[in-house]
Amino acid sequence: MSNPQTVGDQIAEHADSERTMKDLESVDPSDPRFDELLAHLTSTIRQHVQEEENDLFPRLRAATAREELVELAGKVTAIKKIAPTRPHPSAPDRPPANKLLAPGAGLVDRVRDALSGRPTSMDELREGQH
C-alpha cells in the first residue's frame, strides 16, 4: 500500500493526466512520441486508480458512516449527470489560475465538506441560517 496522499497530490496527478491527454491530441499517432505519451498516461492512470482503490477509498469508508457514504454516492451520481465532461474552452490552462480551478477541485471540496459536516448545497445552507 502506498503512503497516504494529500488532496493536492491527487489534484496534481489529475492535472498531469490532463496535460498528457492534451499532448496526445496534438501528436500524430505515427509520431514515436505518441506511444511514449500513451504509455505514460496508461501507467499514471493505472497507478492512480490503484492508490484510490487500495488506500483512499478504504480510508474514506473507515472514516464515514454508511448512511453518509450512501448520501455522498447519491450526490456524486447526481452531479455526474450535469457536470461537463471537458473544461470550458476559456478555462485557464496556465498557472496560477489552473491550479486554483483544477478540474476535480470542486468535487474534492464537496467530499471534504460532506465529511466535515459543512453544507454542500444551497438547501443545507438555508437550513443552517434558521
Side-chain angles (χ1 to χ4, degrees), residues 24 27-42:
L24 273 168
V27 174
D28 189 89
S30 63
D31 185 324
R33 201 163 158 247
F34 184 87
D35 288 337
E36 294 170 17
L37 288 167
L38 187 58
H40 173 74
L41 179 64
T42 302

Side-chain angles (χ1 to χ4, degrees), residues 1 8 13 18-19 24-25 30 39 53 57 59 61-62 65 69 76 90 93 108-110 118 120 122 127:
M1 188 182 305
E13 286 181 6
E18 288 185 21
R19 276 190 304 276
L24 273 168
E25 288 177 353
S30 63
E53 290 177 350
F57 293 157
R59 288 179 21 207
R61 280 191 294 275
L69 289 172
V76 169
S90 31
D93 61 355
V108 170
D109 285 343
R110 291 188 117 192
R118 294 182 188 138
T120 58
M122 289 305 295
E127 289 173 11

Side-chain angles (χ1 to χ4, degrees), residues 2-130:
S2 63
N3 291 332
Q5 289 188 304
T6 65
V7 171
D9 293 334
Q10 291 292 309
I11 290 172
E13 286 181 6
H14 281 254
D16 177 57
S17 294
E18 288 185 21
R19 276 190 304 276
T20 304
M21 285 185 273
K22 277 189 170 196
D23 290 345
L24 273 168
E25 288 177 353
S26 65
V27 174
D28 189 89
S30 63
D31 185 324
R33 201 163 158 247
F34 184 87
D35 288 337
E36 294 170 17
L37 288 167
L38 187 58
H40 173 74
L41 179 64
T42 302
S43 172
T44 301
I45 290 177
R46 284 185 176 150
Q47 179 182 353
H48 182 80
V49 168
Q50 185 177 21
E51 289 169 354
E52 287 180 339
E53 290 177 350
N54 294 334
D55 182 37
L56 296 175
F57 293 157
R59 288 179 21 207
L60 176 63
R61 280 191 294 275
T64 310
R66 177 162 172 64
E67 299 79 26
E68 289 178 279
L69 289 172
V70 170
E71 181 182 345
L72 184 58
K75 289 178 181 181
V76 169
T77 300
I79 291 298
K80 279 184 168 184
K81 290 179 183 177
I82 61 170
T85 57
R86 295 178 150 251
H88 189 276
S90 31
D93 61 355
R94 283 183 239 89
N98 69 328
K99 293 190 186 306
L100 298 173
L101 302 172
L107 180 58
V108 170
D109 285 343
R110 291 188 117 192
V111 170
R112 185 195 66 227
D113 290 346
L115 290 173
S116 66
R118 294 182 188 138
T120 58
S121 70
M122 289 305 295
D123 290 339
E124 290 177 5
L125 282 171
R126 284 186 205 105
E127 289 173 11
Q129 292 177 347
H130 292 89

